[in-house]
Every structure is written in structure tokens, then in C-alpha cells.
Amino acid sequence: MKIGILTFHNAINHGAVLQTYATQELLRSMGHEVEVIDYRNQAVEAYYDKFKFHLGVLLRKRKIRYLVSPFLFWLQRRAFSRFKSKHLRISPDGARQAGQKDLILVGSDQLWNLRITGGFDPWYWGDKATIGLDPEKTRMATWAVCMNHTEMALGETARIGRYLKNFSALSVREKELLDLIAPLTDKPVVQTLDPTLLLEADKWRALCHKVRPSHYVAVYAIEFKDKRRVAKVAERLAQKEGLGVVNLRVYADTGSLLDALHGCGPDDFLSYLNAASYVVTSSFHGTAFSMILGKQFFSVVDPEKGNVRVENLLRQTGMENRKVDYDERFEQIAPIDYSQFNVGCSLKVGCLRSIDFLKELGV
């Protein structure tokens, strides 16, 4: 079967690119011809135009770190481009290639988050006329897709219900979203895992390379306002354990330029997580890969806002005690015993459900 993947493959975001890779490799392992459809949402592309952003901040704040940040972002983009060129099969012409597929999987990732995509993007909501698909030839299905749940409360339920009719099958990542959209469609809605959790740890470790230094706390936060607070949690842990800190952030937006890992591609991200003594993260994929790689980790969750995606994953794996807030001092938290917390076993039902969803599509 010829399958296309429609997702945020071009984002300068480790989780976005690695979940794309995971879906591609999973489908290839099942014997299919797979390509990533090279469609790029304008709002997502604009968000990652950090050159203009940081130069604008430089002019306003006149801080030296914003002078070098566009160069650091260039290093980052180059590292991502190298990874994608080597590991992703990306179609040269999004619309033309989409029309040649038997099946297009929309997802995973937050493709239905209207704040990220700048409103309803017809590509991500299965509008075959806009994409230029033959309704009789190409099927579309969602694959562990996510959205900001608050949008359902903003009067969009009727519109979303209409869009759901475009898909042959529906799967979402969070149960909260399943509960919200299930009443809007007569099709079953299946909760599937993020595709990064469907590949064996050895598959991810094969992408890793040796790194220096050793014996450090890796810290990874992607929300701009969250980065410094999460870094302080990591610094407290590092001080307690007598370790250094490696910050996997992308830009010189907070703190010292010296503690960040600049030009960090997806393979570098995996490598530094894999070699770390501890991981401190506020990211879903930071949490997921810490589990996959068997790391001692802590997931920092804002006590006021929460984090549905991270908390859902911790609950599924029985690792709720890894959730900490910004004031955590680490005196009372025992290390993870991975002989007791086998992530694969904890997620076995979800893995089987995810694979069954694909098989029911004829994959």
C-alpha cells in the first residue's frame, strides 16, 4: 500500500520530527511504501522563523544574547535538515504526491490545535477538494492526533463534527479528546499511543552517538515562559547529586549561553538523553523518551495549569510520582526501578490497540 504521512515534519522541534520518523518506520516495518507529504502550514512555518523574532527582540531589549541567537538557530535548522535528509522520506510535491497515495494518515502531533495552525487548516481536517484528492481513490484517517481541548468549548463543535465526516477512521492520542469528539461522529474513535512509544528502545538507540560530558542532568523545556523555571529545578537536582547540567534548549532566550547545547538535532537530542544520569523536562516527548531509554527522570508540571499530555502518560505507565512542580527539592523521591516499571508492558494494551487500528485500515 502507498501511504502518506501528513504532520508537522518541518518543525524545528525534536518531538515533532521524531514522531514523524516513528510513524514512517512503523509503517515501513509493516511492508508499505511510505512518504511524508511535504505540506507546510503557514502559521507553523512562521512560528519557527526565529531569525526575525530574535532580531526584533534585540532591537527592543538590546541584549547581546539576542544578537547571536539567529546564528544559533541557523545551527539548529542545519542539524534538523541533516537528520531529515538522512532519515525521512519526504515527497518533493505535497499535493501531487498526496493524490498518488492509497491512504493518508493525518498525525500524529497537535495538528488540530487551532492556536498552532492559525485556525482550521483544511489539509489537517481532511478536505479532499482543497488537497486535490480523488474521494474514490485516496482514504484519509487520523493518527494519534491532538488538539487544545478548550477549543471545543468555543462554539466549534458543529464545525468539527462536519470535518470528522472526511475521515474513514479516527484515532486520537488523549482520552480527553476522545470523550469530546466521540459524540460528534457515528464512527468509532480509538485512543492510540504517540508513535514514538511504538518503536523498540533499540531502534532509538541506533540513532544515538557518543557524547561528552558524562555524568550530567539533561534539561529540556520547550515553552518559552517555562524554560528558566525548569532549568532551576534541574540545577537543584544537579547540585544535590554533584552533577553538571546540559540544557537541550534551542535558543539563547534565557539564562547563560554557556550551559545550552547549540545546534542540537533530533539525533543529538536522543544521544544526550540516552547518556544523561538524570533528565528534567516539561515536555511530553522529553518524558516519553526518558521512559523509552530507561532514564531516571522528573516531569515538571505547572501546579496551576497542569499538563494533560504529560500527566496522561505518567498515569498510563504508573509513574505518577515522577511529576514534580517548580519547588521540588528531591529529598523524598526514590529512583525508578525499571525492573518494576517496564514501560513496554505498561503500554502493551495501548500498543496493541494502535497496531489493530492500522490493521483495520488494511495496513
Side-chain angles (χ1 to χ4, degrees):
M1 183 184 296
K2 293 182 178 180
I3 303 177
I5 301 168
L6 191 56
T7 188
F8 293 151
H9 70 283
N10 200 49
I12 310 302
N13 177 287
H14 299 110
V17 174
L18 291 171
Q19 63 83 18
T20 305
Y21 172 80
T23 299
Q24 172 190 276
E25 293 305 294
L26 176 65
L27 294 171
R28 287 182 63 199
S29 72
M30 299 172 78
H32 299 285
E33 184 179 326
V34 185
E35 280 190 325
V36 178
I37 304 299
D38 195 15
Y39 170 73
R40 306 181 184 188
N41 173 273
Q42 292 183 354
V44 174
E45 292 293 299
Y47 176 81
Y48 288 104
D49 188 357
K50 296 298 183 180
F51 288 95
K52 294 179 181 179
F53 172 78
H54 283 289
L55 286 174
V57 175
L58 170 65
L59 294 175
R60 293 198 308 273
K61 296 188 176 182
R62 300 181 182 180
K63 291 187 177 181
I64 190 65
R65 64 171 175 257
Y66 291 101
L67 180 63
V68 300
S69 195
F71 171 70
L72 300 180
F73 180 71
W74 175 81
L75 290 176
Q76 192 88 8
R77 185 180 287 279
R78 184 179 66 170
F80 271 71
S81 294
R82 287 175 176 171
F83 181 88
K84 288 183 287 186
S85 296
K86 184 175 181 180
H87 296 290
L88 294 184
R89 299 185 176 188
I90 300 177
S91 66
D93 183 333
R96 183 175 64 84
Q97 291 297 324
Q100 297 177 5
K101 306 304 180 191
D102 302 306
L103 172 68
I104 294 177
L105 289 182
V106 178
S108 66
D109 221 331
Q110 299 187 66
L111 274 66
W112 286 357
N113 188 325
L114 306 185
R115 297 179 184 179
I116 292 176
T117 60
F120 286 92
D121 186 320
W123 281 68
Y124 300 146
W125 290 91
D127 189 331
K128 294 185 178 181
T130 299
I131 301 171
L133 301 181
D134 182 343
E136 301 300 320
K137 178 183 177 183
T138 305
R139 293 177 298 150
M140 299 188 75
T142 67
W143 172 239
V145 75
C146 311
M147 76 180 299
N148 185 335
H149 305 155
T150 60
E151 283 144 3
M152 296 292 289
L154 300 179
E156 299 290 3
T157 54
R159 188 175 183 181
I160 290 172
R162 292 194 298 271
Y163 277 127
L164 295 179
K165 296 177 181 178
N166 294 331
F167 298 101
S168 300
L170 298 163
S171 80
V172 299
R173 194 169 69 186
E174 276 77 45
K175 185 178 184 302
E176 291 80 0
L177 179 56
L178 184 154
D179 292 339
L180 286 168
I181 70 169
L184 306 179
T185 177
D186 56 359
K187 301 182 184 76
V189 184
V190 180
Q191 184 184 4
T192 50
L193 294 179
D194 185 275
T196 58
L197 296 163
L198 299 176
L199 292 190
E200 297 291 336
D202 287 346
K203 183 76 172 179
W204 294 116
R205 291 194 180 98
L207 296 175
C208 296
H209 55 77
K210 291 184 178 181
V211 300
R212 292 184 179 181
S214 57
H215 309 300
Y216 58 87
V217 176
V219 55
Y220 180 62
I222 57 174
E223 294 294 335
F224 184 86
K225 295 179 181 179
D226 200 35
K227 290 179 180 177
R228 193 61 207 152
R229 291 182 291 181
V230 176
K232 286 186 175 181
V233 176
E235 289 162 7
R236 286 197 295 271
L237 176 60
Q239 185 176 16
K240 176 180 180 291
E241 298 294 329
L243 300 170
V245 174
V246 173
N247 198 321
L248 302 180
R249 68 172 184 258
V250 180
Y251 316 115
D253 45 27
T254 55
S256 168
L257 296 179
L258 301 178
D259 68 349
L261 181 66
H262 304 302
C264 176
D267 49 346
D268 303 307
F269 169 76
L270 287 173
S271 300
Y272 276 88
L273 285 186
N274 189 49
S277 300
Y278 292 89
V279 178
V280 173
T281 182
S282 60
S283 152
F284 172 87
H285 283 109
T287 299
F289 280 112
S290 296
M291 291 180 178
I292 293 167
L293 298 171
K295 308 309 299 181
Q296 299 295 326
F297 74 93
F298 297 96
S299 295
V300 184
V301 175
D302 188 315
E304 296 181 1
K305 297 180 181 179
N307 187 323
V308 171
R309 297 190 298 152
V310 169
E311 292 173 288
N312 195 15
L313 180 57
L314 294 175
R315 184 170 57 251
Q316 284 179 287
T317 54
M319 291 191 177
E320 293 96 331
N321 71 327
R322 310 322 290 177
K323 182 178 79 170
V324 300
D325 62 28
Y326 300 121
D327 296 322
E328 184 58 56
R329 300 292 170 175
F330 304 104
E331 282 82 3
Q332 303 297 326
I333 301 179
I336 304 169
D337 180 356
Y338 276 98
S339 66
Q340 300 296 320
F341 290 95
N342 185 304
V343 177
C345 290
S346 300
L347 298 175
K348 184 175 182 180
V349 172
C351 289
L352 293 173
R353 187 190 306 122
S354 302
I355 299 301
D356 285 345
F357 174 80
L358 294 175
K359 289 181 177 179
E360 288 177 7
L361 287 169
V363 173

